């Protein structure tokens, strides 16, 4: 009799009645609450807002973002608000801060230095984007794939990377630039980063060799998750801080290398450029003349401020992309 009661109780639990009287099969019920596209969009925006607030709490992010946004505005709105520099902007060697016109003074050709700095910014931003995306993208792809796959593919990719690292960077760029003579700023950025990806690939590969042995990566492999999914979801997020730092370093390299090549006269010049401004000031003897040193000082400060702003921005974003740092600031568990 007891066995019959137990069987009846078991059957009654397996065929639980819903409110409408229809038996409900276990693990097949569907939630009546529907998530709309608007709900998903609001949730996504809320997450992005929280991420921004986390980054905004770091003073380095604020300063870096201010600098980068200022240069972006210079390269977009600034070129529309400030007329192009011309030989009739002022007199020869007008001193800076002498009046409201030609605030940064003029050069030996009577061109407004501030206008030259502003109109050189769009090309420099395109160079930074082209070079940094190229160097970081190729380096990340080669390093992550090589470190995860291993074997013969790892040997081939690392041999190519080591060969690229052994090539003398600046002489190679000078030779290619003299033969090709590119004028597109985006292409120039890629040119000056022609072998900068190799160091990034080496650094990321060493990190992937450790990450691929983690338990969650091994679990993904056991469950049959595809290699692209593992690389995209399990490995790459752990490398974001290092990728971000390499992106900034590649951008700084683009700035310095492009300015050096334009200063040396290797690359053809179609528009105003910070390197050309330095070359003109150097040829005019501004290095040894205290009264003319401002023609070199302002371009140098522009280069330094942009580079410093990018570094500050990357350090501030480390709180967002670095999982351990983010958990510490949010009060979560630490490893």
């Amino acid at each position: 009799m007891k066995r019959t009661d137990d069987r009846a109780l078991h059957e009654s639990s397996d065929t639980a009645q819903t409110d409408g009287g229809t038996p409900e099969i276990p693990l097949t019920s569907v939630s009546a609450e529907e998530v709309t596209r608007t709900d998903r969009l609001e949730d996504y925006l809320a997450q992005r807002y929280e991420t921004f607030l986390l980054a905004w709490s770091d003073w380095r992010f604020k300063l870096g973002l201010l600098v980068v946004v200022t240069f972006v505005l210079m390269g977009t709105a600034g070129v529309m608000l400030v007329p192009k520099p011309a030989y009739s902007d002022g007199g020869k060697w007008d001193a800076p801060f002498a009046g409201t016109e030609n605030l940064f003074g003029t050069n030996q050709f009577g061109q407004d230095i501030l206008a030259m700095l502003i109109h050189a910014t769009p090309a420099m931003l395109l160079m930074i984007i082209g070079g940094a995306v190229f160097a970081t993208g190729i380096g990340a792809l080669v390093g992550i794939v090589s470190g995860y796959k291993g074997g013969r593919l790892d040997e081939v990719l690392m041999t190519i990377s080591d060969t690229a690292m052994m090539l003398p960077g600046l002489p190679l760029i000078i030779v290619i630039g003299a033969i090709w003579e590119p004028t597109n700023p985006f292409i120039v950025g890629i040119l000056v980063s022609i072998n900068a990806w190799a160091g990034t690939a080496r650094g990321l590969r060493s990190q992937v060799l450790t990450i691929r042995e983690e338990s969650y990566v091994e679990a993904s492999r056991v469950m049959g998750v595809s290699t692209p999914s593992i690389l995209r979801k399990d490995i790459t997020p752990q490398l974001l801080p290092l990728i971000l730092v390499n992106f900034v370093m590649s951008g700084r390299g683009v700035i310095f290398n492009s300015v050096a090549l334009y200063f040396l006269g290797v690359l053809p010049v179609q528009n105003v450029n910070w390197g050309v401004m330095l070359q003109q000031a150097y040829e005019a003897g501004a290095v040894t003349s205290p009264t003319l040193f401002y023609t070199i000082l302002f371009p140098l400060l522009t280069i330094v401020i942009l580079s410093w702003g990018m570094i500050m921005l990357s350090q501030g974003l480390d709180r967002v992309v670095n999982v351990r740092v983010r958990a510490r600031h949010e009060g979560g568990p630490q490893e």
Side-chain angles (χ1 to χ4, degrees):
M1 186 69 179
K2 182 178 180 181
R3 180 177 302 177
T4 305
D5 295 340
D6 292 342
R7 183 182 302 174
L9 179 61
H10 179 70
E11 291 178 354
S12 62
S13 61
D14 285 347
T15 58
Q17 300 291 323
T18 62
D19 294 339
T22 304
E24 180 181 351
I25 302 176
L27 303 180
T28 60
S29 60
V30 179
S31 174
E33 184 176 345
E34 182 180 357
V35 180
T36 64
R37 181 177 300 179
T38 303
D39 295 333
R40 290 195 296 268
L41 178 60
E42 291 178 353
D43 183 63
Y44 174 81
L45 294 177
Q47 293 177 359
R48 299 288 78 79
Y49 181 68
E50 292 177 359
T51 301
F52 176 78
L53 290 181
L54 179 62
W56 187 254
S57 61
D58 194 316
W59 64 270
R60 297 170 299 180
F61 177 82
K62 296 177 183 177
L63 288 178
L65 183 63
L66 176 63
V67 171
V68 172
V69 170
T70 299
F71 276 91
V72 171
L73 292 177
M74 284 175 56
T76 53
V79 296
M80 295 185 291
L81 297 176
V82 179
K84 287 186 177 181
Y87 294 110
S88 58
D89 290 336
K92 180 180 180 180
W93 303 121
D94 285 349
F97 310 114
T100 55
E101 295 184 0
N102 305 325
L103 188 63
F104 285 3
T106 60
N107 59 10
Q108 64 267 43
F109 304 111
Q111 295 174 298
D112 184 10
I113 292 179
L114 178 59
M116 296 177 71
L117 293 174
I118 292 176
H119 282 269
T121 303
M124 181 57 66
L125 294 178
L126 288 176
M127 293 180 200
I128 294 173
I129 294 174
V133 170
F134 171 79
T136 308
I138 298 298
L141 179 63
V142 172
I144 293 174
V145 172
S146 176
Y148 180 76
K149 297 296 292 184
R152 182 59 59 87
L153 180 62
D154 180 30
E155 295 178 1
V156 172
L157 292 178
M158 285 301 100
T159 300
I160 297 175
S161 300
D162 293 340
T163 304
M165 292 178 65
M166 289 188 298
L167 295 175
L170 188 58
L172 176 64
I173 295 172
I174 292 176
V175 172
I176 297 177
I179 297 174
W180 189 5
E181 295 186 351
T183 57
N184 188 306
F186 196 86
I187 301 300
V188 172
I190 296 177
L191 171 64
V192 299
S193 305
I194 193 67
N195 66 337
W197 60 269
T200 301
R202 264 292 177 185
L204 292 177
R205 173 185 175 272
S206 62
Q207 297 295 320
V208 175
L209 290 176
T210 302
I211 296 176
R212 73 177 184 179
E213 303 300 331
E214 295 289 344
S215 58
Y216 61 90
V217 179
E218 183 66 26
S220 297
R221 284 197 294 263
V222 172
M223 290 187 295
V225 180
S226 63
T227 297
S229 296
I230 294 176
L231 296 180
R232 186 177 67 255
K233 297 180 180 179
D234 294 335
I235 294 181
T236 302
Q238 305 298 322
L239 300 173
L240 283 179
L242 187 57
I243 292 175
L244 182 61
V245 170
N246 280 277
F247 182 87
V248 174
M249 294 299 106
S250 299
R252 291 178 65 249
V254 170
I255 297 174
F256 298 148
N257 290 335
S258 61
V259 168
L261 293 178
Y262 281 112
F263 177 82
L264 296 174
V266 175
L267 298 175
V269 180
Q270 290 185 334
N271 298 306
V272 64
N273 183 275
W274 297 342
V276 176
M277 295 177 64
L278 293 174
Q279 181 193 43
Q280 293 174 350
Y282 176 80
E283 292 177 350
V287 176
T288 57
S289 175
T291 57
L292 304 180
F293 189 72
Y294 67 90
T295 57
I296 286 183
L297 177 62
F298 289 123
L300 285 178
L301 284 178
T302 303
I303 295 169
V304 170
I305 291 174
L306 177 57
S307 303
W308 177 79
M310 294 174 62
I311 293 175
M312 289 294 101
L313 184 62
S314 68
Q315 291 181 352
L317 286 175
D318 185 61
R319 180 176 295 188
V320 175
V321 299
N322 193 318
V323 178
R324 292 182 175 87
V325 176
R326 182 169 184 170
R328 182 167 64 250
H329 286 282
E330 291 180 345
Q334 303 180 30
E335 297 182 4

